[in-house]
Amino acid sequence: MSSSNKRQSVLPRMPAGPKAPVNFSSSITIADSALLAGKHTINIGSESVVHPRARLDSALGRITIGRRCVVHERTSLGAAPASAPASDPTILNTQGGVTIGDYATLEVGAVVEAGGTVVGEGCVVGIGCRIGSGAKLGKHCTLTPLSEIQPGEEVPDFTVVYSNGTRRLDRRGITELKHKAQARQIEVLKRLIPSNPTKFQ
Amino acid sequence: MASFTPYTYIQCPCHDTTTTTTTTSQSRPAEDAPSPTSPHSSDDDDDDHNFDPRAPRSNYSLYPLEYLLWCDVCHQIRCPRCVAEELVTIYCPNCLFEVASSSLKTEGNRCTRSCFQCPICIGPLAVQSLESAPEPSLLSADNANTATTPAGPWILSCSYCNWNSSEIGVKFDKPQGIFAQLQKLRHGEDSHSKHAVGGDTSPTKTDSVAATMKARFSAMRSFYSAQNAIANPSSGLGDYGFSSPGALSRIMSIYSGNNAGSHKQKSKGTMTREADSASEGFRALDLDDSSAVSQLRRDGWDSTVIGDQAKSQVEEGARFAEELWPIPYLLRTKRSKRCPVCRHIISKPESKVANTRFRMRLVANTTIPSISIKPFNPPPALLKPLQPVQYLLTFRNPLFDEVKVTLATPATTPGRFASRVTVLCPQFQMDPSTESGMYLVDDALKDDNKDIQGRRRRGTEGGTHQAEAGKIWERGHNWVTIVVEVVPASLSLEAPPALLRKEGEPEPDLSPLKEDEDVLEIPMFVRLEWEGDVSHDQMSTSTGKEKDAREKKELAYWCTIGIGRISQE
Ligand SMILES: [Zn+2]
Ligand SMILES: [Zn+2]
Ligand SMILES: [Zn+2]
Ligand SMILES: [Zn+2]
């Protein structure tokens, strides 16, 4: 995780190093102080918002963010996998990046490890969550704050992970409403966050 | 291995009910409390007078110092178990509204102001419109726009686990008065039309109206009061009903034995019968579980409730997640506490709900010295059996008077594994605590000097500064540190050779190590003596005495000191 002094040590170095190859939609909002690094391509779909100090690292694989996603502060996409599960070390895929589906929200401090990790459409990844390398979140999942998904795990659609890993199904059936709300929120964020995509291109 | 934090628990005098009930406010229960005459002869004493922190009863009277209250009049420790409590304020923890005790009797002990807990995760539920369904992450500016046009139907939803009341088929017509609406949905006549859950799957639900606790109770009550009227036509209770004060006083007179005739009447009464039909509140147990089994088979484990969820429900018997209802918040209370012996109030909170202060609170740690425990040498993870270890006990005096402390411990700890305990300095004086902050600087300087001295000492003696028997280890302005030496017992369980066993001696207990039996706990008897101001109670009675009269005071109690775990080698 990035402590404040660590961030500062990285920031000045960024312009000097080679820029990560990017492929931005023209309608995205990306803050000036977002951190993009790595050698693989970083794709960001239309109308997605990347908050300041979000960290996108494509060193281990390509990062793809869908449409109308919100990536909050100090999230880390494509982080190096922490460790392989002892039971099956082969599950750890050091190659492969991160795919974030449309309408997903990654809240403050969430970590998505690299290695073919997928966050499905409409997922809400809560504050400080960690998604292990190669895990696959289905559509419209909700991870409550500080939840952890083990590497290689597959989480079915509409799962709510809460209370130290307890799971249940989200049966609210408000997918459409959530999409509308997400669109409205992005409208507001667009006005609030000064975007500077050219810095990264 | 989990680390072990040393602890001190103090025994409240209420462990011995005979002392608390027989003592008046004048005498001091502690004086009657058993004490070992000396640390060494205690083994020969009556065993039942020796305090065993492991005895199952001890659990109920041992408290950390912070939990203990103090009665100024009785001059004694009072614990949460023995104080008499009185309700000061009854309130809802969610909306913080005060509830009058009269409405408590009519409406029950739960909040009736639309405060609900999630039946899945006990998080607070919020009323939301199904139409706009605002996202929790929505910015407030945007929320304001949507909030202007709210439209029903309304649901209760949990923002944490995403449960909502439409999962059990509950929707509300208006966002106010949720409690009443829910009550109607659950117990009212129209519960079938509105609350249609999984229709085909729950035939047990069809007779749910009669099966609700409340309906059954009222049916049963009317049935049995009718039966009572038949049985005792002349007692007069039937005329009044049970709720009238006249009937109540009659009942009281019956129980107090003034009315001898009533017993005869009771035995003479005609036979009453028990309820046996549904209209009388009777319910036969439904032994046909086939529908439950088929539901279980279809919906699987996830559709069942967990124990905690079923327990937190208002009505019992929920087995499937769809039988879980929103839980109205249980009301809470603020309570004042009275001394059980002299009935003086020793703790009284502010009556306002939002005010967390206390009007009065007499706590024990303004009188009783705190004891902190530190190992003499850097602590090993586990105590090695049969290897002596020394611990530093620091006593800190909270009183503004000089206090003489006398300690006593049994030579060996009670229980199957007897560790040897030696208090190197069982008697010492503690200087008074000072009021002003001035001494702090002084003390800090002293502490610094001491550190330097300590270092020097260690330097000259090569790190082996020996603890001496009968001498205080260290002393500060209101604290004293002494050394306790412990020889941990071996935890190996071996039967003693048959030759050494005496005739008739009970079989040694060779069962495997029980939970926490490897924790080394020292029972310690503490006796404090000091000269203090005459307590207020006696001041008022003896007006002739001078204001600054002093009297000798003493206090004695048992405490238990948890030192560490013994390694199982
Ligand atoms: Zn008292
Ligand atoms: Zn007590
Ligand atoms: Zn309330
Ligand atoms: Zn919930």
Side-chain angles (χ1 to χ4, degrees), chain A residues 117-133:
Chain A
T117 316
V118 178
V119 174
E121 182 192 322
C123 283
V124 177
V125 178
I127 293 164
C129 285
R130 188 174 192 97
I131 299 176
S133 171

Side-chain angles (χ1 to χ4, degrees), chain A residues 24-177:
Chain A
F24 288 166
S25 155
S26 58
S27 56
I28 70 158
T29 305
I30 183 163
D32 189 60
S33 54
L35 298 170
L36 272 60
K39 55 185 190 292
H40 293 89
T41 318
I42 296 176
N43 302 298
I44 301 181
S46 60
E47 292 191 59
S48 283
V49 175
V50 179
H51 277 250
R53 296 185 204 144
R55 171 184 264 276
L56 279 62
D57 189 347
S58 65
L60 295 175
R62 157 200 296 257
I63 288 185
T64 308
I65 296 176
R67 291 174 299 118
R68 286 194 175 153
C69 290
V70 180
V71 179
H72 280 264
E73 279 190 30
R74 286 192 280 132
T75 46
S76 176
L77 300 189
S83 64
S87 54
D88 187 9
T90 54
I91 211 162
L92 200 66
N93 192 0
T94 46
Q95 291 307 307
V98 172
T99 309
I100 310 284
D102 299 345
Y103 289 100
T105 305
L106 300 164
E107 287 182 354
V108 176
V111 176
V112 183
E113 291 178 358
T117 316
V118 178
V119 174
E121 182 192 322
C123 283
V124 177
V125 178
I127 293 164
C129 285
R130 188 174 192 97
I131 299 176
S133 171
K136 288 182 173 56
L137 282 188
K139 287 175 182 175
H140 306 290
C141 291
T142 307
L143 306 191
T144 60
L146 299 178
S147 299
E148 286 201 17
I149 301 295
Q150 295 306 311
E153 206 178 337
E154 294 205 7
V155 181
D157 294 355
F158 292 103
T159 303
V160 181
V161 181
Y162 68 104
S163 180
N164 297 328
T166 318
R167 286 162 196 217
R168 65 188 302 272
L169 278 188
D170 182 352
R171 287 188 279 167
R172 289 178 299 174
I174 54 163
T175 314
E176 281 307 307
L177 289 168

Side-chain angles (χ1 to χ4, degrees), chain B residues 138-160:
Chain B
L138 254 186
L139 288 181
S140 55
D142 228 31
N143 239 340
N145 293 336
T146 56
T148 51
T149 54
W154 301 80
I155 51 164
L156 284 169
S157 75
C158 173
S159 57
Y160 180 62

